Amino acid sequence: MQTMSRKAAAIGFGPFDLKTWGPLLALIGLMVLGTALNTSFLSEGNISNILTRSAFIGIIAVGATFVITAGGIDLSVGAMAAVISGVMIISMNALMNVFDSASLIIACGILLSLALGLLAGAFNGLVTTKGKIEAFIVTLGTMGIFRSLVTYFADGGTLSLDFTIRGAYRPFYYGDILGIPVPVIVFAVVAAIGWVILNRTAFGRHCRAIGSNEAVARYSAVQVNRVKTLTYIVQGLCVSLATIIYVPRLGSASSSTGVLWELEAIAAVIIGGTVLKGGSGRIGGTVIGAIMLTMIGNILNLTDLISNYLNGAVQGVIIIVAVWLQRGGWKNKGQ
Amino acid sequence: MKMTGKFLGLAAAFAMSLAGPALAADKVKIGVSIPSATHGWAGGLNYHANVAVDRMEELYPNIDMILVTASDASAQANDLEDLVSVHNVDALVILPFESEPLTDPVRMVKESGAFITVVDRGLSQDGIEDLYVAGNNPELGRVSAEFIKEKLGNKGDIVVLRGIPTVIDEERVDAFMAGIEGTDIKVLDMKHANWNRDDGFEVMQDFLSRFPKIDAVWAQDDDIAIGVIEAVKQAGREDELFILGGAGMKDIIKRVMDGDRLVPADVLYPPAMIATAIELTTLNYVSNAPVTGRFILGAPLVTPENAANYYFPDSPF
Amino acid sequence: MSELRTGIAGGGGQAVAGPAPSNAPAQYRQPVLSARHISKSFGDIQVLFGIDFDVLPGEVHALIGENGAGKSTLMKILSGYHQPTSGKLHLDAQEVILPPDGQAEDLGVVLIHQEFNLAEQLSVEENIFLGRELRRGWFIDHSAMRRQTEELLAHLNVDMAPDATVASLSVSQKQFVEIARALSRKARVLIMDEPTAVLTPDETSAFFEQIRLMRERGVGVVLISHKLDEVKELANRVTVLRDGHQIITTDADELTEDDMARHMVGRDLSDMFPPKNEPDFDAPLVLEVDGLSVGTALRDVSFNLRKGEILGFAGLIGSGRSALFEAIIGLRQRTGGITRLNGETVEMTALDQARDRGIAYLTKDRKGQGLLLNDGLKVNLTLFALRQFSNKGLIDDTLEDAALERAIRRFDIRVRDRSVPVGALSGGNQQKLLLGKVLEIDPNILIVDEPTRGIDVGTKQQIYNFIAALAAEGKSIVLISSEMPEIIGMSHRVAVMRSGRLTGILQGEEIEEHEIMRYATGLKSQGTADATGGTNTHADHVA
C-alpha cells in the first residue's frame, strides 16, 4: 500500500503533471475549436475582448483561490461586487457637490471601494472564524444581505454614474498601456502578486496547511483564525479591484450586476486545478480557468451552428471535460 | 421605494384593525400584488405602483390599497392567500410572475368574491379576470420592424439581441421577423442578451468582431441597448449604425429627446401600465359605470418630437 | 479456473465449519486459511519474497517485524485487499481468489484496520450492520438488529449503548465495535493490525479476553503487533518477517522476547536505552508550573523542569497529561495557574507564543495533528519554523532544501524520492520527520507526547538516542508516554497523573513499574489533598 501510493504520487509530482498542464491543454483545445468555427476568433480585437472580459471573474477568482485553498468558500462575491459598485456610484455622484475635480472624485471612489471590500471580507472572515459558523452559511447570508442592499439603494432600478465623471473614469476600462487594455494589466498584476503570495510567502504556505489539515496547522503554531480571516479580506480586496474596473464599463450598477459571479469564480478556480476541499491552490490554473469560461461564451457568440437554447449545455460539457482532463488521467495512472 | 410600499401596506392594515369594524366596512380594500424590483423594468413597475397607490388613496378617502411584492411565483401565491384571509380584499390587481402557476391562486381570490384585474401577463385560463390591462408584445416587435425598415430603406444588414428565452421574447421576435419579411433586410445573427446590460455589452462586442458591416441593431430592450451603445463606442463604429431598444427607460428616452444619432428612437413598453390598471380598478368603485374588459396599451414609437411626454426623471427606470 | 471460489460464491463460507473439530491438537488441524509462496511486487519493487503463512482454527498466529518488513502487505493479501504477484491462497484447503475491498468478509475473512473503518456519525448498531442491514420487506428491521447488537455486546461483555454514535466512543470502544462487527459477520479468520497500540492497560487486558474467547470458539486470529510482551502472552505461533523475507515461523513457546527482537532487526539489541545522564543537582529551573487548572479536566497541577533534565509523565490514557501541556503552551484555555519560564512569569495564549519562547511540542497524533500527509517532506519540515526560512517576506527555497538535507542526514530519514507526499512514508520515517520538524526551531524545552507510538524497535532506539543527546546538550525534555519501559528507561524523574491531578513525582530508586502504577491507579498519592493553599508542594518535594 505504501509503495503503491508512493508510485502514484511520483507521477503526480513528476515532470508531466496533468494538474498543471490539463487546464492549459483544455484552453488550447478550446482555441482550436474557436478558430475552426470562425477565423475572426484569433483577430487581435477578439482576443483583446476575451482577456478584458475575463478580468472581472479572473481577479475575483484569484481571491477565491486563497479562500478555497485554505478550506473555505465565499459565495458572496457577486453580490459584494454589486453593492460596492452601487455605493461607489452613489458616493461619487454625491461628491460632485463637494469637489470640482473628477480625478479627485474618482480617487475617493477607488479608496471607498477598497475600504468596503476590506470590511466586507473582514466581516465574512470574522463571523466564520470567531462565530464558528460554516463559511458556506455565512457567505450565503451575506450574499443575500449585499444583494438586497444594492436593490434597496437603487430603488429596484439602476444606479448610473454621472456623465461628467464617467468621461474621466472611462480609461480605467477602455484605456490601454502600450496597446494592452488596462483591465488585462490589472488582471495580470493581481495574478502575479497572488502567485507570489500563495507560493512564496509564509501566509500562502499557511493557507495550504490549513486547507490540508487544520489541526496540523494549529499544532504547527499557525494562527489559523487570523490566516483564514485574511483570506476573506484578500478576497474582498480582489472584489474591490474588479469593481473599480467594472464600474467605468457601463457606468451603472443594479440588482442584476454580478449575478452568478460567485459560481463562475469558483468554477474558474476548480477548472484551474485547485482542490475544492482545500490544501492545494494554483493561481496559474485559476487564470486559465477564468479565460476559458469567458472564451466559451465568446465562441458561442461567434457561431450560429449551435442553438442559442443550448448555450448552457455547451458550457456545462466544456467545464466537466476540462476538469476530467485534469483528473481523469491522474486517476487511471494512479491505480 | 419598495420598502415604503410594504410599510404603507402594513401600516394600512394596522390602522384598519385599530379603526374597528364599522369604519373598515365602509372602505373598499384593493390588494395590489407585483413582482419585487429585481431588475430595471420591475423597478419602474414598483415606482409607478407606489405613485399610483398614493395618488388613489389621496383622491378617494374610502379606498384602501394594500401593496405587496413577491420575489418568485410561490411567494406571490402566498401573498394572495394573505390578501384574502387577512385583509379580505374587495379587489385584486395582479401582475403575475408566471401565468401557469398563478392561475389557480388567482381563481381562489376570484371565488372569494373579489374583482380581479390582471396586468401584462395573461392567466392560462380565460374568464377569471374582470379586467385585463397589458402591453402589447407583438405590437412592440411590429413597430420596431416598421421603424428599422423605414430608416434603412428596406435594405441592410442587422443584428438582433434577444431577451431571456420566454413567451414575451418569442412574441416580440416573431412579430419583428414577420414585419421585415419581403424586404432586403438581412438578419446576420440573433443571440440572447437576457435583458441585461453586461450581456448586451459582451454579445455586441462579439457581433462587432464577427461582422465587418452592421447597419442597425435591434436590441429590443433598453437595458441591452445601454450595453450595446458602450460596445459600439469602444469599437469606434458609431457612424456606421443605429440602435433601437424598447421599454422606455429614462436614460434612453433622454438620448432620443437630445437627438442622439446612435439612438434615434425607442419603442414603449411602459412599466406605468400598472398605474393604469390601479386607476381603472379604482374607477370601478368610485364611478357609477362598471369597468371591465380588455385594455391593451399600444407600443408607441418615441421620437425626438414626442419624447418629452414619456420622460420621468424621478422614476428609477 | 472454474473450481476457484470467488466472491460470487458468496456466504458459503459462513456456514462451513472446519473439517476437523477445532479443539483437536494443532498438528491434526487443517489450516482455515493458508498462503503458499506468496510474492508481491509494486511496479519493479518487490516487497514480499515467497512467504508461506497459515492460520489454524482456534489459534493466535502473531506476525511481527520492523516497519517496512512487509507485514501490512501480507495482511492485505490474506484479506483480499491486494492480490499476490505469485503464489496461492487456500481457504479450507480449496484454492481461492479473495475478492477485493473487504468483500472477503462474506467468506469469513475479516481485517480490522489500524485506522478503523467506522462511519463516525452512525450508531454502534448501524455500524455493525453497515452494508448488510437486516430487512423486513423493503424496510430496515430495527428491532431485530437492535436485539442482535445487544446480544453481541453482552457476549463481548462490553457495556455500550447500541444507539450511541461512534464519534462519541473512546478509541477502545471503537475497537470493540469493530470486533463485534467481525463477530456478526461470522468471522473465521480475524486479522488485526496493531490492535492494542491505542489501548490502556485495562482495555488491553479486556481485549485479550476477547481474543482468547474467539480462539476458544475456533476463530483463527492473525495478530500484528510491535509489543513483543503481548505477542509472548497471547500467541500460539509467531512468524517474523524482515525486508520482505520470512525469517522464522515457530511456536511462541520456543522464542523469548529477545529472540523475537533479534530476528526482527537481524542483530542484537542489548541496550535499548542510552545511559542516563542526570542533570546537576542545582541546574537552573527552566519551567515552573504552579497550580494550573483547566475547568474540571485538570486541577491544580504544579511541577518544575530543570535544564538538561528528562522529566517523564506517566499515567493512564485520559489522565490529562496531553491536556496539561496543551494548556501550558496555549493550545488549550486554562482557568487558573501560573507558568514561569527561566523564573519569569509568562502567559501563552497561542502556540506561536510558546514557539517564540523556545518551546516545541511533538504531538502524539502524528497523522491527525502532526503532518500534512498529502504534502511533501520539505513543506512539513519547515512549517513550524517557517519564519526562519523567509527572506524579506519570501520563502527561500534553497534554505528549505538545505534544511531537508540536514534533517535527512541527522535523523536518518530513509526515503527514495524526496518529492513523495509524507503519507507514503513508513510510520518510523514519519515520526523522525516530525521530530525534525519540531526541532527546527532549536527549542530549549521539548515536549514529546508518545514519541514511539506505532514504530518499530530499531527506530525506537534511534529516537531514544536523539532525546538523550538533546538532554545532554542542555535542552530540557518532557516525555509523555504510556509505555512503561520507555518512561523507566529514559526519565530522570517521573511525574504521575491520575484523573487530571498530579499524584506524585518519583525519582531515583522510586522509578519502578509497580510504584508508578500505584500512583497512576490512585492507590498512592503524595502530599495531602493536593495543595489547597497553592504552595508548591510537589516542587518542594523534589527540591
Side-chain angles (χ1 to χ4, degrees):
Chain A
M1 182 59 185
Q2 288 175 359
T3 327
M4 201 185 70
S5 46
R6 196 176 294 153
K7 180 169 161 266
I11 289 162
F13 283 69
F16 190 77
D17 178 357
L18 274 168
K19 265 189 167 317
T20 303
W21 296 103
L24 200 60
L25 282 179
L27 182 73
I28 292 168
L30 206 52
M31 289 178 72
V32 171
L33 180 76
T35 316
L37 287 173
N38 193 327
T39 44
S40 57
F41 174 81
L42 281 181
S43 71
E44 196 194 322
N46 192 53
I47 294 294
S48 156
N49 279 348
I50 292 173
L51 292 177
T52 314
R53 260 184 238 168
S54 60
F56 306 134
I57 294 300
I59 292 169
I60 292 173
V62 167
T65 309
F66 282 89
V67 173
I68 292 173
T69 299
I73 191 108
D74 192 342
L75 298 176
S76 70
V77 293
M80 196 192 291
V83 77
I84 294 178
S85 309
V87 175
M88 256 180 102
I89 290 170
I90 294 172
S91 315
M92 286 160 82
N93 286 347
L95 282 173
M96 285 184 60
N97 304 323
V98 186
F99 303 123
D100 283 337
S101 152
S103 26
L104 193 58
I105 293 172
I106 292 166
C108 289
I110 288 173
L111 286 178
L112 179 72
S113 166
L114 291 171
L116 287 173
L118 193 144
L119 283 177
F123 181 83
N124 279 338
L126 290 173
V127 175
T128 305
T129 54
K130 299 280 175 200
K132 298 196 191 334
I133 304 171
E134 289 89 339
F136 189 93
I137 296 302
V138 172
T139 57
L140 191 65
T142 49
M143 170 168 103
I145 295 169
F146 295 153
R147 181 65 65 197
S148 46
L149 277 179
V150 71
T151 313
Y152 177 75
F153 291 146
D155 268 350
T158 303
L159 292 160
S160 294
L161 191 58
D162 192 278
F163 275 93
T164 50
I165 309 173
R166 210 185 283 190
Y169 199 179
R170 265 180 76 89
F172 277 80
Y173 181 83
Y174 293 100
D176 62 73
I177 297 172
L178 300 174
I180 304 169
V182 172
V184 178
I185 292 171
V186 176
F187 183 19
V189 169
V190 167
I193 295 174
W195 188 89
V196 170
I197 293 178
L198 189 63
N199 294 292
R200 286 284 172 264
T201 68
F203 170 72
R205 187 69 68 80
H206 288 169
C207 289
R208 282 165 56 195
I210 291 170
S212 188
N213 185 332
E214 200 173 314
V216 171
R218 213 164 76 84
Y219 278 83
S220 304
V222 174
Q223 290 168 295
V224 173
N225 284 350
R226 186 162 158 265
V227 171
K228 278 164 100 177
T229 306
L230 276 173
T231 63
Y232 290 95
I233 291 177
V234 168
Q235 173 74 88
L237 289 174
C238 284
V239 172
S240 296
L241 287 172
T243 308
I244 289 166
I245 54 170
Y246 169 81
V247 169
R249 180 163 99 172
L250 297 177
S252 65
S254 71
S255 53
S256 63
T257 299
V259 168
L260 293 186
W261 281 9
E262 59 280 351
L263 291 188
E264 284 191 46
I266 293 168
V269 172
I270 304 307
I271 289 173
T274 296
V275 181
L276 185 55
K277 68 184 200 310
S280 146
R282 281 153 199 271
I283 297 282
T286 298
V287 170
I288 292 174
I291 294 173
M292 268 181 70
L293 283 177
T294 315
M295 198 177 279
I296 297 169
N298 172 259
I299 290 175
L300 288 170
N301 280 343
L302 289 183
T303 177
D304 43 18
L305 275 183
I306 297 159
S307 162
N308 288 331
Y309 300 130
L310 287 175
N311 278 6
V314 174
Q315 283 180 357
V317 168
I318 291 177
I319 290 172
I320 291 171
V321 167
V323 175
W324 177 83
L325 269 180
Q326 169 212 117
R327 310 227 171 124
W330 155 273
K331 204 172 175 184
N332 288 340
K333 289 192 182 178
Q335 291 259 312
Chain B
M1 209 49 89
K2 169 188 149 200
M3 298 285 283
T4 345
K6 261 190 176 160
F7 179 72
L8 276 179
L10 276 174
F14 219 81
M16 247 171 2
S17 58
L18 291 175
L23 193 60
D26 297 334
K27 281 210 172 194
V28 174
K29 275 184 279 182
I30 301 177
V32 180
S33 169
I34 55 175
S36 55
T38 50
H39 61 273
W41 192 83
L45 185 78
N46 276 259
Y47 167 80
H48 287 290
N50 276 299
V51 171
V53 163
D54 291 350
R55 197 172 64 236
M56 288 301 111
E57 283 185 334
E58 201 169 314
L59 269 172
Y60 308 107
N62 65 327
I63 295 288
D64 186 14
M65 297 255 184
I66 300 135
L67 178 66
V68 289
T69 63
S71 57
D72 60 55
S74 64
Q76 196 172 27
N78 294 342
D79 284 351
L80 295 190
E81 285 176 14
D82 290 348
L83 285 175
V84 172
S85 59
V86 180
H87 300 289
N88 200 12
V89 291
D90 300 295
L92 170 71
V93 180
I94 179 169
L95 195 154
F97 242 98
E98 289 168 61
S99 306
E100 198 65 45
L102 282 157
T103 298
D104 259 342
V106 174
R107 204 211 336 266
M108 303 296 274
V109 181
K110 173 77 179 172
E111 280 165 9
S112 77
F115 179 93
I116 305 289
T117 302
V118 173
V119 188
D120 192 36
R121 285 155 228 185
L123 299 174
S124 50
Q125 263 184 323
D126 288 337
I128 296 174
E129 73 270 10
D130 298 283
L131 176 63
Y132 180 58
V133 179
N136 194 330
N137 286 309
E139 180 71 2
L140 183 141
R142 197 190 61 75
V143 171
S144 302
E146 283 305 316
F147 178 80
I148 287 178
K149 272 200 299 197
E150 193 193 313
K151 182 105 178 147
L152 289 179
N154 284 341
K155 187 172 179 305
D157 295 331
I158 65 167
V159 291
V160 175
L161 290 94
R162 306 185 56 165
I164 296 169
T166 52
V167 177
I168 296 172
D169 179 62
E170 292 284 342
E171 285 181 355
R172 290 179 180 181
V173 172
D174 288 350
F176 179 84
M177 295 307 282
I180 60 168
E181 213 174 63
T183 65
D184 287 332
I185 294 174
K186 188 179 163 217
V187 177
L188 296 169
D189 199 7
M190 300 198 272
K191 293 285 177 202
H192 288 280
N194 307 319
W195 295 321
N196 175 301
R197 293 179 179 202
D198 289 313
D199 290 355
F201 180 82
E202 293 182 0
V203 170
M204 193 60 206
Q205 269 194 332
D206 291 339
F207 278 157
L208 286 166
S209 38
R210 193 172 151 198
F211 304 115
K213 174 177 164 287
I214 299 171
D215 297 315
V217 182
W218 185 44
Q220 199 216 85
D221 171 79
D222 288 342
D223 265 315
I224 297 178
I226 297 264
V228 170
I229 291 168
E230 292 298 337
V232 170
K233 274 192 191 164
Q234 185 195 26
R237 287 167 70 172
E238 299 101 308
D239 295 336
E240 164 190 336
L241 48 76
F242 70 89
I243 300 157
L244 182 64
M249 181 192 291
K250 63 179 178 186
D251 294 355
I252 298 289
I253 301 284
K254 180 82 169 37
R255 280 173 185 269
V256 174
M257 207 157 71
D258 297 346
D260 188 334
R261 218 203 55 77
L262 199 55
V263 189
D266 199 15
V267 182
L268 220 55
Y269 191 81
M273 68 174 72
I274 190 72
T276 312
I278 290 169
E279 282 160 19
L280 288 173
T281 308
T282 312
L283 219 55
N284 188 52
Y285 289 93
V286 295
S287 73
N288 293 327
V291 183
T292 55
R294 295 168 68 79
F295 196 90
I296 308 298
L297 302 165
L301 190 70
V302 182
T303 57
E305 292 75 41
N306 65 1
N309 302 338
Y310 302 104
Y311 186 56
F312 302 102
D314 293 337
S315 162
F317 182 66
Chain C
M1 284 302 267
S2 57
E3 309 101 301
L4 288 187
R5 273 167 56 189
T6 64
I8 302 151
Q14 290 183 12
V16 184
S22 62
N23 52 2
Q27 59 269 39
Y28 302 121
R29 278 182 274 158
Q30 185 185 35
V32 52
L33 180 66
S34 71
R36 290 285 162 262
H37 309 299
I38 297 288
S39 295
K40 177 69 180 173
S41 302
F42 294 106
D44 47 9
I45 304 162
Q46 186 163 3
V47 294
L48 288 180
F49 300 85
I51 309 289
D52 287 321
F53 186 90
D54 56 27
V55 56
L56 305 172
E59 77 157 348
V60 174
H61 190 160
L63 182 60
I64 61 175
E66 287 191 279
N67 283 335
K71 303 186 302 283
S72 299
T73 308
L74 180 57
M75 170 184 88
K76 283 181 178 146
I77 288 172
L78 291 176
S79 51
Y81 286 85
H82 288 343
Q83 293 301 325
T85 312
S86 67
K88 290 186 167 62
L89 289 179
H90 297 263
L91 187 62
D92 297 327
Q94 268 186 312
E95 194 174 329
V96 65
I97 293 176
L98 291 176
D101 301 328
Q103 296 169 51
E105 291 188 359
D106 294 335
L107 300 171
V109 181
V110 178
L111 169 67
I112 297 185
H113 297 263
Q114 197 174 1
E115 277 96 31
F116 302 136
N117 266 336
L118 296 173
E120 291 272 322
Q121 298 304 324
L122 298 187
S123 70
V124 171
E125 173 188 318
E126 286 164 329
N127 265 289
I128 286 176
F129 286 95
L130 194 63
R132 37 183 292 279
E133 287 80 4
L134 302 180
R135 285 164 205 277
R136 198 163 44 198
W138 291 67
F139 299 99
I140 283 176
D141 189 348
H142 272 294
S143 54
M145 289 201 294
R146 173 61 55 91
R147 202 173 53 246
Q148 289 194 22
T149 304
E150 279 165 354
E151 277 169 17
L152 271 171
L153 294 176
H155 205 74
L156 287 170
N157 214 355
V158 179
D159 183 22
M160 201 190 297
D163 56 356
T165 52
V166 164
S168 70
L169 302 179
S170 71
V171 179
S172 58
Q173 285 174 315
K174 287 179 189 174
Q175 188 151 41
F176 287 129
V177 175
E178 284 273 16
I179 294 172
R181 188 165 73 164
L183 282 182
S184 80
R185 279 156 173 68
K186 307 220 173 9
R188 299 163 58 232
V189 178
L190 188 60
I191 305 169
M192 310 191 80
D193 187 7
E194 295 213 44
T196 61
V198 286
L199 300 188
T200 63
D202 278 353
E203 290 167 345
T204 302
S205 58
F207 169 74
F208 282 1
E209 277 312 303
Q210 296 304 331
I211 298 294
R212 292 197 181 96
L213 213 61
M214 272 183 281
R215 178 162 63 188
E216 279 164 29
R217 294 210 188 92
V219 175
V221 178
V222 178
L223 178 71
I224 293 173
S225 180
H226 280 127
K227 297 185 178 170
L228 301 182
D229 52 338
E230 292 178 359
V231 170
K232 186 73 187 153
E233 181 179 345
L234 208 57
N236 303 73
R237 285 193 297 159
V238 177
T239 291
V240 183
L241 296 185
R242 186 169 75 228
D243 298 331
H245 294 276
Q246 187 170 11
I247 301 303
I248 190 173
T249 297
T250 183
D251 282 352
D253 298 340
E254 292 174 14
L255 290 177
T256 65
E257 288 176 42
D258 284 342
D259 293 337
M260 293 183 204
R262 204 178 56 246
H263 284 305
M264 282 165 63
V265 295
R267 60 189 154 91
D268 275 320
L269 280 171
S270 48
D271 293 314
M272 190 70 183
F273 300 103
K276 286 191 191 178
N277 206 345
E278 304 239 358
D280 291 341
F281 183 75
D282 56 352
L285 295 175
V286 291
L287 172 68
E288 296 161 85
V289 171
D290 195 356
L292 190 138
S293 298
V294 173
T296 55
L298 274 181
R299 273 168 294 176
D300 196 21
V301 177
S302 304
F303 69 93
N304 57 35
L305 179 67
R306 289 187 183 281
K307 184 173 161 63
E309 181 181 37
I310 301 176
L311 174 62
F313 263 79
L316 304 179
I317 285 175
S319 58
R321 293 167 300 168
S322 301
L324 168 63
F325 285 94
E326 290 188 356
I328 291 171
I329 60 179
L331 281 172
R332 220 175 254 262
Q333 193 138 21
R334 61 171 79 180
T335 49
I338 295 172
T339 307
R340 279 188 290 273
L341 284 178
N342 301 316
E344 188 188 334
T345 303
V346 290
E347 178 94 13
M348 293 174 280
T349 55
L351 184 56
D352 55 308
Q353 298 164 10
R355 176 194 60 195
D356 296 346
R357 293 191 164 94
I359 304 177
Y361 173 67
L362 183 129
T363 169
K364 63 179 177 235
D365 185 357
R366 187 164 64 225
K367 292 180 176 174
Q369 299 170 341
L371 296 170
L372 299 170
L373 299 179
N374 293 323
D375 284 289
L377 277 77
K378 205 161 67 176
V379 167
N380 274 288
L381 181 69
T382 58
L383 187 59
F384 185 52
L386 200 52
R387 210 169 24 186
Q388 290 166 222
F389 299 93
S390 295
N391 196 348
K392 299 196 185 88
L394 299 185
I395 295 174
D396 189 335
D397 226 20
T398 52
L399 287 180
E400 282 194 287
D401 282 328
L404 181 59
E405 186 65 46
R406 265 199 320 274
I408 283 177
R409 259 187 288 123
R410 178 178 176 194
F411 298 103
D412 185 32
I413 299 170
R414 290 172 206 172
V415 52
R416 201 170 280 117
D417 175 359
R418 288 181 190 180
S419 63
V420 300
V422 301
L425 301 183
S426 71
N429 280 320
Q430 286 180 354
Q431 191 68 8
K432 289 193 262 186
L433 179 68
L434 186 56
L435 190 61
K437 168 183 166 181
V438 297
L439 288 178
E440 273 302 326
I441 64 160
D442 194 18
N444 296 318
I445 299 174
L446 174 65
I447 301 154
V448 291
D449 198 348
E450 307 285 3
T452 64
R453 173 178 286 178
I455 62 179
D456 61 78
V457 175
T459 310
K460 268 188 184 179
Q461 197 178 20
Q462 286 181 315
I463 287 181
Y464 296 144
N465 286 333
F466 294 136
I467 292 174
L470 287 169
E473 279 174 36
K475 316 286 188 200
S476 307
I477 315 281
V478 171
L479 169 66
I480 304 172
S481 177
S482 301
E483 289 197 32
M484 206 61 96
E486 191 167 291
I487 287 280
I488 294 167
M490 293 294 296
S491 310
H492 303 149
R493 285 188 297 149
V494 176
V496 190
M497 291 190 68
R498 179 175 179 273
S499 306
R501 288 174 192 274
L502 202 148
T503 51
I505 295 183
L506 315 179
Q507 56 187 341
E509 296 293 305
E510 294 171 305
I511 301 178
E512 179 265 328
E513 187 159 357
H514 295 289
E515 188 72 1
I516 293 173
M517 277 318 287
R518 275 194 280 278
Y519 282 101
T521 53
L523 295 175
K524 222 173 153 181
S525 175
Q526 292 173 352
T528 51
D530 274 37
T532 40
T535 51
N536 200 346
T537 47
H538 307 310
D540 291 344
H541 173 85
V542 173

